Amino acid sequence: MTTSVKGPASYFPSIEQKYGRPVADWLELIGSSPLTKHMELVAWLKTEHGLGHGHANALVAHALKA
């Protein structure tokens, strides 16, 4: 029986497929940003990198949780 991925990580396969970059790259980019607040990072990913809100939110949530 396979376990389904839940939470922000459930978006990762579609993020990689849609934007052509591994999630590790996005997480490194978030980590290198001087921004620290969740919604600031989401807005930055949307405006500067063209991500959709759900994908940006999932990446930021995962990055800040770690």
Side-chain angles (χ1 to χ4, degrees), residues 35-53:
L35 303 172
T36 57
K37 293 185 179 177
H38 183 98
M39 290 311 294
E40 289 176 340
L41 287 161
V42 169
W44 174 68
L45 287 172
K46 290 168 62 175
T47 58
E48 297 296 320
H49 299 283
L51 272 72
H53 182 80

Side-chain angles (χ1 to χ4, degrees):
M1 181 180 245
T2 45
T3 316
S4 65
V5 177
K6 298 182 191 252
S10 67
Y11 286 87
F12 290 177
S14 62
I15 291 170
E16 290 180 339
Q17 181 181 7
K18 183 167 185 171
Y19 304 106
R21 291 175 73 172
V23 168
D25 285 0
W26 292 111
L27 296 176
E28 184 177 329
L29 188 66
I30 292 166
S32 69
S33 171
L35 303 172
T36 57
K37 293 185 179 177
H38 183 98
M39 290 311 294
E40 289 176 340
L41 287 161
V42 169
W44 174 68
L45 287 172
K46 290 168 62 175
T47 58
E48 297 296 320
H49 299 283
L51 272 72
H53 182 80
H55 288 156
N57 191 54
L59 286 167
V60 171
H62 185 78
L64 294 180
K65 182 181 173 187

